[in-house]
Amino acid sequence: MDKQQQILITMQDYANTHKVPIISREGGRLLQKVTAAAKPVSILEIGTAIGYSTLLLAAAMAPNGKITTIEQDGARLEIASNFLAQAGKLEQVTMIAGDAGEVLPALTGSFDLVFIDAAKGQYLDYLYKVMDKLLPGAVIIADNVLFRGWVLDDSNAPRRFRTIIKRLKAYLDFVTKDKRFKTVVHHNGDGMAVSHYQGRANI
């Protein structure tokens, strides 16, 4: 087992012990498969948590790739920084502390892969705010889009989750119907939407 694999296992244990939500192993495999196929050089991650998916992305991106990751919990960001340093990936990662909804409009540069795994009710808002920063052919990956299956069938969903479910449905509706995107929704883990941006020519 290599060092990075050992660190990922340590991160899984930490997440379980401290009840930190991280991408499922099934979802993580799909994330790495899509990333490896895209060979992105400039990645934006919305929702760092303890850096588990950041490390998965770093391992699968182009060798000269860079990741910008946003997290509003400063304590988690510090933990993520330590894990990424142990894995030797910290130099490739720019960490930004703050609310993604406020940080995104101020970001400069363009991205060829965006991974969304933050506040589920804000996915569509995040996408709107990053669209002018997408390179033609960029890949947008959104995790947890089926939210315990309730996005497909919300008949038994608790009332407190209705707004999140409604907003996730709106996100999926947008990326599956807007001609600027070609989207496949995978049922891996808690559901993952993989959208390929068709470029600004179709706007």
Side-chain angles (χ1 to χ4, degrees):
M1 185 186 300
D2 63 21
K3 184 180 179 182
Q4 185 164 295
Q5 201 61 40
Q6 289 176 334
I7 292 168
L8 286 168
I9 290 170
T10 302
M11 294 171 88
Q12 289 166 6
D13 291 341
Y14 182 95
N16 288 336
T17 302
H18 296 274
K19 302 292 188 287
V20 179
I22 60 171
I23 192 169
S24 68
R25 293 186 193 186
E26 194 180 359
R29 284 192 290 270
L30 179 59
L31 177 68
Q32 285 202 300
K33 182 180 177 182
V34 173
T35 303
K39 297 182 176 64
V41 173
S42 181
I43 294 176
L44 173 63
E45 179 183 42
I46 304 171
T48 317
I50 59 169
Y52 183 77
S53 53
T54 320
L55 186 50
L56 293 178
L57 289 164
M61 68 185 180
N64 60 332
K66 301 285 185 184
I67 300 173
T68 299
T69 186
I70 304 167
E71 173 61 48
Q72 65 177 2
D73 187 323
R76 285 184 178 175
L77 208 57
E78 195 167 326
I79 293 161
S81 178
N82 290 333
F83 278 129
L84 290 166
Q86 289 175 44
K89 297 293 186 182
L90 191 56
E91 287 186 5
Q92 293 174 279
V93 180
T94 298
M95 296 183 160
I96 301 175
D99 182 289
E102 298 171 6
V103 171
L104 289 173
L107 282 182
T108 56
S110 300
F111 301 96
D112 49 10
L113 189 143
V114 178
F115 179 50
I116 305 174
D117 190 15
K120 297 173 188 64
Q122 303 302 318
Y123 278 21
L124 190 52
D125 180 61
Y126 296 152
L127 181 58
Y128 284 152
K129 287 176 176 172
V130 81
M131 275 181 62
D132 65 338
K133 307 174 202 326
L134 296 176
L135 291 164
V139 182
I140 302 92
I141 306 167
D143 197 22
N144 307 119
V145 292
L146 299 181
F147 193 45
R148 307 176 193 179
W150 290 329
V151 171
L152 298 174
D153 179 7
D154 62 2
S155 55
N156 295 316
R159 184 178 294 275
R160 68 183 184 278
F161 293 130
R162 291 291 166 89
T163 298
I164 286 175
I165 293 164
K166 181 180 177 183
R167 290 182 178 180
L168 283 170
K169 284 181 178 180
Y171 176 85
L172 290 177
D173 192 58
F174 180 75
V175 295
T176 53
K177 292 181 180 176
D178 191 289
K179 288 188 170 66
R180 289 169 289 186
F181 298 94
K182 285 188 177 175
T183 298
V184 176
V185 179
H186 299 266
H187 289 237
N188 302 55
D190 201 22
M192 186 177 284
V194 178
S195 305
H196 287 82
Y197 183 55
Q198 303 301 297
R200 295 174 187 151
N202 293 328
I203 293 177

mmCIF file of all heavy atoms in Angstrom, residues 2-5 7-8 11 32 51-69 80-95:
data_model
loop_
_atom_site.group_PDB
_atom_site.id
_atom_site.type_symbol
_atom_site.label_atom_id
_atom_site.label_comp_id
_atom_site.label_asym_id
_atom_site.label_seq_id
_atom_site.Cartn_x
_atom_site.Cartn_y
_atom_site.Cartn_z
ATOM 1 N N ASP A 2 0.630 2.174 -0.939
ATOM 2 C CA ASP A 2 1.471 3.364 -0.990
ATOM 3 C C ASP A 2 1.050 4.391 0.067
ATOM 4 O O ASP A 2 0.012 4.251 0.721
ATOM 5 C CB ASP A 2 1.472 3.987 -2.402
ATOM 6 C CG ASP A 2 0.095 4.490 -2.839
ATOM 7 O OD1 ASP A 2 -0.756 4.739 -1.967
ATOM 8 O OD2 ASP A 2 -0.113 4.649 -4.038
ATOM 9 N N LYS A 3 1.882 5.405 0.207
ATOM 10 C CA LYS A 3 1.673 6.404 1.258
ATOM 11 C C LYS A 3 0.329 7.113 1.107
ATOM 12 O O LYS A 3 -0.391 7.341 2.083
ATOM 13 C CB LYS A 3 2.817 7.416 1.225
ATOM 14 C CG LYS A 3 2.749 8.451 2.334
ATOM 15 C CD LYS A 3 3.920 9.422 2.240
ATOM 16 C CE LYS A 3 3.842 10.469 3.330
ATOM 17 N NZ LYS A 3 4.945 11.448 3.242
ATOM 18 N N GLN A 4 -0.019 7.456 -0.140
ATOM 19 C CA GLN A 4 -1.269 8.177 -0.374
ATOM 20 C C GLN A 4 -2.476 7.334 0.031
ATOM 21 O O GLN A 4 -3.434 7.840 0.622
ATOM 22 C CB GLN A 4 -1.383 8.601 -1.835
ATOM 23 C CG GLN A 4 -2.601 9.461 -2.111
ATOM 24 C CD GLN A 4 -2.490 10.176 -3.441
ATOM 25 O OE1 GLN A 4 -1.637 11.024 -3.641
ATOM 26 N NE2 GLN A 4 -3.345 9.810 -4.369
ATOM 27 N N GLN A 5 -2.422 6.035 -0.275
ATOM 28 C CA GLN A 5 -3.517 5.146 0.093
ATOM 29 C C GLN A 5 -3.657 5.061 1.611
ATOM 30 O O GLN A 5 -4.767 5.036 2.149
ATOM 31 C CB GLN A 5 -3.280 3.753 -0.502
ATOM 32 C CG GLN A 5 -4.537 2.905 -0.627
ATOM 33 C CD GLN A 5 -5.594 3.530 -1.535
ATOM 34 O OE1 GLN A 5 -5.274 4.100 -2.566
ATOM 35 N NE2 GLN A 5 -6.849 3.440 -1.131
ATOM 36 N N ILE A 7 -2.849 7.408 3.705
ATOM 37 C CA ILE A 7 -3.405 8.689 4.167
ATOM 38 C C ILE A 7 -4.913 8.739 3.923
ATOM 39 O O ILE A 7 -5.684 9.193 4.773
ATOM 40 C CB ILE A 7 -2.689 9.872 3.488
ATOM 41 C CG1 ILE A 7 -1.239 9.951 3.979
ATOM 42 C CG2 ILE A 7 -3.415 11.197 3.780
ATOM 43 C CD1 ILE A 7 -0.358 10.889 3.195
ATOM 44 N N LEU A 8 -5.355 8.226 2.784
ATOM 45 C CA LEU A 8 -6.793 8.191 2.490
ATOM 46 C C LEU A 8 -7.548 7.341 3.518
ATOM 47 O O LEU A 8 -8.634 7.708 3.961
ATOM 48 C CB LEU A 8 -7.038 7.657 1.076
ATOM 49 C CG LEU A 8 -6.704 8.611 -0.081
ATOM 50 C CD1 LEU A 8 -6.706 7.869 -1.413
ATOM 51 C CD2 LEU A 8 -7.694 9.784 -0.130
ATOM 52 N N MET A 11 -7.826 9.259 6.640
ATOM 53 C CA MET A 11 -8.858 10.291 6.485
ATOM 54 C C MET A 11 -10.260 9.699 6.616
ATOM 55 O O MET A 11 -11.155 10.312 7.207
ATOM 56 C CB MET A 11 -8.688 11.005 5.137
ATOM 57 C CG MET A 11 -7.396 11.806 5.030
ATOM 58 S SD MET A 11 -7.091 12.430 3.357
ATOM 59 C CE MET A 11 -7.970 13.991 3.429
ATOM 60 N N GLN A 32 -12.615 9.903 -9.504
ATOM 61 C CA GLN A 32 -11.264 9.733 -10.042
ATOM 62 C C GLN A 32 -11.283 9.265 -11.500
ATOM 63 O O GLN A 32 -10.455 9.710 -12.304
ATOM 64 C CB GLN A 32 -10.483 8.741 -9.188
ATOM 65 C CG GLN A 32 -10.034 9.336 -7.857
ATOM 66 C CD GLN A 32 -8.867 8.601 -7.260
ATOM 67 O OE1 GLN A 32 -8.948 7.414 -6.975
ATOM 68 N NE2 GLN A 32 -7.758 9.305 -7.060
ATOM 69 N N GLY A 51 -10.403 17.503 3.074
ATOM 70 C CA GLY A 51 -9.494 17.344 1.941
ATOM 71 C C GLY A 51 -9.455 15.965 1.322
ATOM 72 O O GLY A 51 -8.592 15.671 0.495
ATOM 73 N N TYR A 52 -10.430 15.115 1.678
ATOM 74 C CA TYR A 52 -10.438 13.745 1.141
ATOM 75 C C TYR A 52 -10.629 13.746 -0.382
ATOM 76 O O TYR A 52 -9.817 13.159 -1.115
ATOM 77 C CB TYR A 52 -11.549 12.943 1.823
ATOM 78 C CG TYR A 52 -11.625 11.488 1.416
ATOM 79 C CD1 TYR A 52 -10.709 10.563 1.920
ATOM 80 C CD2 TYR A 52 -12.600 11.034 0.541
ATOM 81 C CE1 TYR A 52 -10.768 9.224 1.550
ATOM 82 C CE2 TYR A 52 -12.671 9.694 0.168
ATOM 83 C CZ TYR A 52 -11.755 8.795 0.676
ATOM 84 O OH TYR A 52 -11.821 7.466 0.300
ATOM 85 N N SER A 53 -11.671 14.418 -0.853
ATOM 86 C CA SER A 53 -11.893 14.459 -2.301
ATOM 87 C C SER A 53 -10.828 15.304 -2.998
ATOM 88 O O SER A 53 -10.493 15.055 -4.157
ATOM 89 C CB SER A 53 -13.298 14.975 -2.630
ATOM 90 O OG SER A 53 -13.549 16.202 -1.984
ATOM 91 N N THR A 54 -10.261 16.281 -2.279
ATOM 92 C CA THR A 54 -9.172 17.087 -2.837
ATOM 93 C C THR A 54 -7.995 16.183 -3.192
ATOM 94 O O THR A 54 -7.389 16.315 -4.268
ATOM 95 C CB THR A 54 -8.695 18.149 -1.817
ATOM 96 O OG1 THR A 54 -9.813 18.713 -1.144
ATOM 97 C CG2 THR A 54 -7.893 19.242 -2.508
ATOM 98 N N LEU A 55 -7.685 15.257 -2.296
ATOM 99 C CA LEU A 55 -6.583 14.327 -2.536
ATOM 100 C C LEU A 55 -6.906 13.363 -3.679
ATOM 101 O O LEU A 55 -6.035 13.051 -4.502
ATOM 102 C CB LEU A 55 -6.262 13.554 -1.249
ATOM 103 C CG LEU A 55 -5.026 12.638 -1.272
ATOM 104 C CD1 LEU A 55 -3.796 13.361 -1.793
ATOM 105 C CD2 LEU A 55 -4.765 12.080 0.123
ATOM 106 N N LEU A 56 -8.153 12.921 -3.770
ATOM 107 C CA LEU A 56 -8.562 12.068 -4.886
ATOM 108 C C LEU A 56 -8.399 12.800 -6.214
ATOM 109 O O LEU A 56 -7.902 12.239 -7.195
ATOM 110 C CB LEU A 56 -10.019 11.628 -4.716
ATOM 111 C CG LEU A 56 -10.355 10.691 -3.549
ATOM 112 C CD1 LEU A 56 -11.852 10.417 -3.519
ATOM 113 C CD2 LEU A 56 -9.575 9.380 -3.639
ATOM 114 N N LEU A 57 -8.814 14.062 -6.243
ATOM 115 C CA LEU A 57 -8.685 14.880 -7.453
ATOM 116 C C LEU A 57 -7.214 15.085 -7.821
ATOM 117 O O LEU A 57 -6.820 14.969 -8.981
ATOM 118 C CB LEU A 57 -9.362 16.239 -7.248
ATOM 119 C CG LEU A 57 -10.890 16.248 -7.184
ATOM 120 C CD1 LEU A 57 -11.392 17.554 -6.594
ATOM 121 C CD2 LEU A 57 -11.490 16.034 -8.583
ATOM 122 N N ALA A 58 -6.399 15.399 -6.809
ATOM 123 C CA ALA A 58 -4.980 15.666 -7.043
ATOM 124 C C ALA A 58 -4.273 14.450 -7.632
ATOM 125 O O ALA A 58 -3.370 14.578 -8.466
ATOM 126 C CB ALA A 58 -4.304 16.092 -5.745
ATOM 127 N N ALA A 59 -4.701 13.259 -7.204
ATOM 128 C CA ALA A 59 -4.073 12.027 -7.684
ATOM 129 C C ALA A 59 -4.454 11.705 -9.126
ATOM 130 O O ALA A 59 -3.711 11.005 -9.827
ATOM 131 C CB ALA A 59 -4.459 10.867 -6.776
ATOM 132 N N ALA A 60 -5.598 12.231 -9.586
ATOM 133 C CA ALA A 60 -6.108 11.862 -10.910
ATOM 134 C C ALA A 60 -5.946 12.958 -11.965
ATOM 135 O O ALA A 60 -6.088 12.687 -13.153
ATOM 136 C CB ALA A 60 -7.590 11.489 -10.805
ATOM 137 N N MET A 61 -5.636 14.179 -11.549
ATOM 138 C CA MET A 61 -5.538 15.288 -12.511
ATOM 139 C C MET A 61 -4.231 15.224 -13.301
ATOM 140 O O MET A 61 -3.367 14.381 -13.042
ATOM 141 C CB MET A 61 -5.646 16.627 -11.778
ATOM 142 C CG MET A 61 -4.480 16.957 -10.874
ATOM 143 S SD MET A 61 -4.771 18.499 -9.953
ATOM 144 C CE MET A 61 -3.244 18.600 -8.992
ATOM 145 N N ALA A 62 -4.077 16.131 -14.251
ATOM 146 C CA ALA A 62 -2.837 16.222 -15.012
ATOM 147 C C ALA A 62 -1.668 16.495 -14.059
ATOM 148 O O ALA A 62 -1.853 17.143 -13.028
ATOM 149 C CB ALA A 62 -2.951 17.334 -16.049
ATOM 150 N N PRO A 63 -0.459 15.991 -14.374
ATOM 151 C CA PRO A 63 0.683 16.165 -13.471
ATOM 152 C C PRO A 63 0.973 17.614 -13.093
ATOM 153 O O PRO A 63 1.438 17.896 -11.994
ATOM 154 C CB PRO A 63 1.843 15.571 -14.276
ATOM 155 C CG PRO A 63 1.206 14.602 -15.213
ATOM 156 C CD PRO A 63 -0.124 15.196 -15.564
ATOM 157 N N ASN A 64 0.683 18.532 -14.016
ATOM 158 C CA ASN A 64 0.917 19.961 -13.750
ATOM 159 C C ASN A 64 -0.346 20.667 -13.264
ATOM 160 O O ASN A 64 -0.430 21.894 -13.271
ATOM 161 C CB ASN A 64 1.436 20.655 -15.008
ATOM 162 C CG ASN A 64 0.456 20.561 -16.181
ATOM 163 O OD1 ASN A 64 -0.326 19.619 -16.266
ATOM 164 N ND2 ASN A 64 0.499 21.523 -17.081
ATOM 165 N N GLY A 65 -1.338 19.887 -12.836
ATOM 166 C CA GLY A 65 -2.619 20.456 -12.429
ATOM 167 C C GLY A 65 -2.561 21.224 -11.119
ATOM 168 O O GLY A 65 -1.685 21.008 -10.278
ATOM 169 N N LYS A 66 -3.524 22.132 -10.973
ATOM 170 C CA LYS A 66 -3.674 22.924 -9.757
ATOM 171 C C LYS A 66 -5.135 22.860 -9.304
ATOM 172 O O LYS A 66 -6.045 22.796 -10.141
ATOM 173 C CB LYS A 66 -3.295 24.386 -9.994
ATOM 174 C CG LYS A 66 -1.858 24.600 -10.468
ATOM 175 C CD LYS A 66 -0.861 24.431 -9.349
ATOM 176 C CE LYS A 66 0.556 24.774 -9.808
ATOM 177 N NZ LYS A 66 1.568 24.529 -8.756
ATOM 178 N N ILE A 67 -5.326 22.892 -8.002
ATOM 179 C CA ILE A 67 -6.678 22.857 -7.440
ATOM 180 C C ILE A 67 -6.903 24.096 -6.589
ATOM 181 O O ILE A 67 -6.069 24.452 -5.759
ATOM 182 C CB ILE A 67 -6.887 21.609 -6.556
ATOM 183 C CG1 ILE A 67 -6.693 20.323 -7.372
ATOM 184 C CG2 ILE A 67 -8.281 21.612 -5.910
ATOM 185 C CD1 ILE A 67 -6.717 19.043 -6.538
ATOM 186 N N THR A 68 -8.042 24.754 -6.807
ATOM 187 C CA THR A 68 -8.516 25.800 -5.907
ATOM 188 C C THR A 68 -9.698 25.220 -5.153
ATOM 189 O O THR A 68 -10.652 24.734 -5.774
ATOM 190 C CB THR A 68 -8.960 27.060 -6.684
ATOM 191 O OG1 THR A 68 -7.843 27.581 -7.406
ATOM 192 C CG2 THR A 68 -9.486 28.131 -5.732
ATOM 193 N N THR A 69 -9.640 25.225 -3.830
ATOM 194 C CA THR A 69 -10.710 24.601 -3.051
ATOM 195 C C THR A 69 -11.248 25.578 -2.007
ATOM 196 O O THR A 69 -10.480 26.331 -1.404
ATOM 197 C CB THR A 69 -10.243 23.272 -2.414
ATOM 198 O OG1 THR A 69 -11.344 22.623 -1.777
ATOM 199 C CG2 THR A 69 -9.122 23.478 -1.411
ATOM 200 N N ALA A 80 -7.482 19.663 6.632
ATOM 201 C CA ALA A 80 -7.248 19.308 5.227
ATOM 202 C C ALA A 80 -5.822 19.667 4.815
ATOM 203 O O ALA A 80 -5.143 18.895 4.131
ATOM 204 C CB ALA A 80 -8.254 20.024 4.328
ATOM 205 N N SER A 81 -5.376 20.833 5.237
ATOM 206 C CA SER A 81 -4.019 21.293 4.914
ATOM 207 C C SER A 81 -2.974 20.310 5.433
ATOM 208 O O SER A 81 -2.009 19.969 4.731
ATOM 209 C CB SER A 81 -3.795 22.685 5.515
ATOM 210 O OG SER A 81 -2.486 23.133 5.259
ATOM 211 N N ASN A 82 -3.172 19.815 6.647
ATOM 212 C CA ASN A 82 -2.228 18.857 7.238
ATOM 213 C C ASN A 82 -2.205 17.539 6.473
ATOM 214 O O ASN A 82 -1.134 16.985 6.197
ATOM 215 C CB ASN A 82 -2.583 18.603 8.712
ATOM 216 C CG ASN A 82 -2.303 19.797 9.596
ATOM 217 O OD1 ASN A 82 -1.434 20.611 9.286
ATOM 218 N ND2 ASN A 82 -3.035 19.927 10.692
ATOM 219 N N PHE A 83 -3.385 17.042 6.118
ATOM 220 C CA PHE A 83 -3.446 15.783 5.371
ATOM 221 C C PHE A 83 -2.790 15.930 3.996
ATOM 222 O O PHE A 83 -2.037 15.055 3.545
ATOM 223 C CB PHE A 83 -4.896 15.321 5.202
ATOM 224 C CG PHE A 83 -5.455 14.602 6.400
ATOM 225 C CD1 PHE A 83 -6.675 14.990 6.961
ATOM 226 C CD2 PHE A 83 -4.808 13.515 6.955
ATOM 227 C CE1 PHE A 83 -7.213 14.317 8.053
ATOM 228 C CE2 PHE A 83 -5.331 12.824 8.053
ATOM 229 C CZ PHE A 83 -6.533 13.234 8.602
ATOM 230 N N LEU A 84 -3.080 17.040 3.307
ATOM 231 C CA LEU A 84 -2.524 17.249 1.969
ATOM 232 C C LEU A 84 -1.012 17.430 2.020
ATOM 233 O O LEU A 84 -0.294 17.001 1.114
ATOM 234 C CB LEU A 84 -3.193 18.458 1.306
ATOM 235 C CG LEU A 84 -4.663 18.243 0.919
ATOM 236 C CD1 LEU A 84 -5.338 19.562 0.604
ATOM 237 C CD2 LEU A 84 -4.776 17.291 -0.277
ATOM 238 N N ALA A 85 -0.530 18.054 3.093
ATOM 239 C CA ALA A 85 0.917 18.207 3.271
ATOM 240 C C ALA A 85 1.575 16.833 3.450
ATOM 241 O O ALA A 85 2.627 16.556 2.864
ATOM 242 C CB ALA A 85 1.206 19.104 4.472
ATOM 243 N N GLN A 86 0.933 15.965 4.245
ATOM 244 C CA GLN A 86 1.457 14.604 4.448
ATOM 245 C C GLN A 86 1.551 13.843 3.125
ATOM 246 O O GLN A 86 2.466 13.051 2.905
ATOM 247 C CB GLN A 86 0.567 13.828 5.414
ATOM 248 C CG GLN A 86 0.621 14.280 6.860
ATOM 249 C CD GLN A 86 -0.399 13.517 7.708
ATOM 250 O OE1 GLN A 86 -0.535 12.306 7.593
ATOM 251 N NE2 GLN A 86 -1.116 14.242 8.550
ATOM 252 N N ALA A 87 0.570 14.107 2.241
ATOM 253 C CA ALA A 87 0.523 13.409 0.950
ATOM 254 C C ALA A 87 1.426 14.056 -0.101
ATOM 255 O O ALA A 87 1.532 13.549 -1.221
ATOM 256 C CB ALA A 87 -0.918 13.367 0.443
ATOM 257 N N GLY A 88 2.046 15.179 0.254
ATOM 258 C CA GLY A 88 2.922 15.873 -0.683
ATOM 259 C C GLY A 88 2.180 16.601 -1.787
ATOM 260 O O GLY A 88 2.735 16.863 -2.866
ATOM 261 N N LYS A 89 0.928 16.971 -1.532
ATOM 262 C CA LYS A 89 0.103 17.610 -2.568
ATOM 263 C C LYS A 89 -0.243 19.070 -2.256
ATOM 264 O O LYS A 89 -0.888 19.735 -3.061
ATOM 265 C CB LYS A 89 -1.212 16.831 -2.750
ATOM 266 C CG LYS A 89 -1.038 15.401 -3.240
ATOM 267 C CD LYS A 89 -0.514 15.350 -4.655
ATOM 268 C CE LYS A 89 -0.476 13.927 -5.201
ATOM 269 N NZ LYS A 89 0.082 13.879 -6.568
ATOM 270 N N LEU A 90 0.177 19.557 -1.102
ATOM 271 C CA LEU A 90 -0.269 20.883 -0.664
ATOM 272 C C LEU A 90 0.160 22.001 -1.619
ATOM 273 O O LEU A 90 -0.569 22.970 -1.812
ATOM 274 C CB LEU A 90 0.252 21.173 0.746
ATOM 275 C CG LEU A 90 -0.328 22.395 1.467
ATOM 276 C CD1 LEU A 90 -1.847 22.315 1.544
ATOM 277 C CD2 LEU A 90 0.268 22.518 2.873
ATOM 278 N N GLU A 91 1.330 21.856 -2.232
ATOM 279 C CA GLU A 91 1.819 22.901 -3.142
ATOM 280 C C GLU A 91 0.943 23.056 -4.380
ATOM 281 O O GLU A 91 0.965 24.109 -5.022
ATOM 282 C CB GLU A 91 3.262 22.597 -3.559
ATOM 283 C CG GLU A 91 4.280 22.840 -2.444
ATOM 284 C CD GLU A 91 5.709 22.673 -2.930
ATOM 285 O OE1 GLU A 91 5.903 22.470 -4.152
ATOM 286 O OE2 GLU A 91 6.617 22.745 -2.090
ATOM 287 N N GLN A 92 0.189 22.027 -4.711
ATOM 288 C CA GLN A 92 -0.678 22.087 -5.891
ATOM 289 C C GLN A 92 -2.081 22.614 -5.555
ATOM 290 O O GLN A 92 -2.921 22.728 -6.439
ATOM 291 C CB GLN A 92 -0.805 20.695 -6.520
ATOM 292 C CG GLN A 92 0.486 20.182 -7.129
ATOM 293 C CD GLN A 92 0.356 18.749 -7.602
ATOM 294 O OE1 GLN A 92 0.446 17.802 -6.824
ATOM 295 N NE2 GLN A 92 0.117 18.577 -8.893
ATOM 296 N N VAL A 93 -2.302 22.917 -4.276
ATOM 297 C CA VAL A 93 -3.645 23.299 -3.826
ATOM 298 C C VAL A 93 -3.653 24.703 -3.227
ATOM 299 O O VAL A 93 -2.830 25.037 -2.379
ATOM 300 C CB VAL A 93 -4.169 22.289 -2.771
ATOM 301 C CG1 VAL A 93 -5.575 22.678 -2.307
ATOM 302 C CG2 VAL A 93 -4.166 20.866 -3.340
ATOM 303 N N THR A 94 -4.608 25.516 -3.694
ATOM 304 C CA THR A 94 -4.866 26.832 -3.104
ATOM 305 C C THR A 94 -6.143 26.731 -2.294
ATOM 306 O O THR A 94 -7.205 26.398 -2.843
ATOM 307 C CB THR A 94 -5.028 27.917 -4.187
ATOM 308 O OG1 THR A 94 -3.810 28.011 -4.926
ATOM 309 C CG2 THR A 94 -5.335 29.269 -3.559
ATOM 310 N N MET A 95 -6.051 26.999 -0.995
ATOM 311 C CA MET A 95 -7.212 26.882 -0.117
ATOM 312 C C MET A 95 -7.790 28.263 0.179
ATOM 313 O O MET A 95 -7.055 29.193 0.510
ATOM 314 C CB MET A 95 -6.816 26.193 1.189
ATOM 315 C CG MET A 95 -6.361 24.766 1.002
ATOM 316 S SD MET A 95 -5.993 23.981 2.584
ATOM 317 C CE MET A 95 -6.100 22.263 2.119
#
